[in-house]
Amino acid sequence: MNEFCSIGPNVKLGQGVKLSKFINLYGCKIGDETKIGAFVEIQKNASVGRRCKISSHTFVCEGVTIEDHVFVGHGVTFVNDSYPRATTADGGLQTEADWHVEKTLVKRGASIGSGATILANLTIGENAIVGAGSVVTRDVPANTIVAGNPAKILRAVPPASHAAELRETIQAERE
C-alpha cells in the first residue's frame, strides 16, 4: 500500500483497484478495477462499484452508493445532511446520535462533471450526465443530461453512435 494513503483496516478493496497518493478511505467498499484519484476521501458506509473512476479532490460521504461504471469528475462533493447544524437545541456539540445519514444513489453508467455538488436524498439515474459545476437538488432521470444551479434537464443522452456528432454540434455552438 502507498505510504501517503490512509486506508482504514475495515476498507474492502476489490481486485485491481488503483489508488493515487494522498487519499483517505475508511469503512467503505471499493469495487474491482476502480481508480481513485489523489486527495479523495471516501467515508464509512459509502460504496463505489466496479470499474469506476473517482477523480482527484472528490468527497464521497457516508450514505453514498455509487454503482458500477460511474465517472466522478474532479472536486465533486456529496452531501448527506439536508439541515446541518454544529450544535443541538441546548447548545451542545452534535454527535452522531443527534442526526441520521441521508442517502444518495448514483446509478450504473452515470457521469458527474467536475465541481458538481450532489445534495442528499436523491438518485442520479442510469447513464445520466451531470454537467460540471452543477448543483443537483433533485432526482436526475436515467439517460438525461442536467446542468446548472439548480441542475435542470437539458436533453436526453444521445445513443453512443450519435455522441461524436453531438460533441461537434456543441463545439460549433460555442464558437
Side-chain angles (χ1 to χ4, degrees), residues 135-154:
V135 178
V136 179
T137 61
R138 58 179 52 114
D139 289 348
V140 176
N143 302 302
T144 60
I145 300 171
V146 301
N149 181 5
K152 292 184 171 49
I153 296 173
L154 299 180

Side-chain angles (χ1 to χ4, degrees), residues 2 11 26-27 62 66 68 71 82-83 93 101 105 141 143 153:
N2 187 323
V11 171
Y26 54 97
E62 181 177 5
I66 297 172
D68 298 341
F71 171 82
S82 297
Y83 301 98
L93 282 176
V101 173
L105 174 61
N143 302 302
I153 296 173

Side-chain angles (χ1 to χ4, degrees), residues 72-112:
V72 178
H74 302 279
V76 171
T77 300
F78 289 87
V79 177
N80 64 2
D81 189 349
S82 297
Y83 301 98
R85 295 285 183 247
T87 58
T88 61
D90 64 4
L93 282 176
Q94 278 195 353
T95 67
E96 285 192 34
D98 296 312
W99 67 284
H100 71 280
V101 173
E102 296 174 338
K103 301 197 183 273
T104 298
L105 174 61
V106 181
K107 303 280 275 179
R108 180 183 174 90
S111 293
I112 301 172

Side-chain angles (χ1 to χ4, degrees), residues 19-150:
L19 303 174
S20 295
K21 292 181 179 181
F22 308 111
I23 61 171
N24 188 24
L25 308 177
Y26 54 97
C28 59
K29 180 181 174 190
I30 311 295
D32 296 343
E33 300 177 43
T34 285
K35 295 168 85 171
I36 307 293
F39 303 102
V40 168
E41 178 169 334
I42 304 175
Q43 294 186 324
K44 68 179 181 180
N45 302 319
S47 68
V48 177
R50 296 176 60 243
R51 294 188 169 176
C52 293
K53 181 177 181 186
I54 311 298
S55 301
S56 70
H57 298 86
T58 290
F59 176 69
V60 181
C61 58
E62 181 177 5
V64 172
T65 299
I66 297 172
E67 293 185 347
D68 298 341
H69 303 270
V70 170
F71 171 82
V72 178
H74 302 279
V76 171
T77 300
F78 289 87
V79 177
N80 64 2
D81 189 349
S82 297
Y83 301 98
R85 295 285 183 247
T87 58
T88 61
D90 64 4
L93 282 176
Q94 278 195 353
T95 67
E96 285 192 34
D98 296 312
W99 67 284
H100 71 280
V101 173
E102 296 174 338
K103 301 197 183 273
T104 298
L105 174 61
V106 181
K107 303 280 275 179
R108 180 183 174 90
S111 293
I112 301 172
S114 294
T117 299
I118 313 301
L119 298 186
N121 289 325
L122 57 81
T123 298
I124 296 175
E126 204 166 303
N127 299 313
I129 298 174
V130 174
S134 296
V135 178
V136 179
T137 61
R138 58 179 52 114
D139 289 348
V140 176
N143 302 302
T144 60
I145 300 171
V146 301
N149 181 5

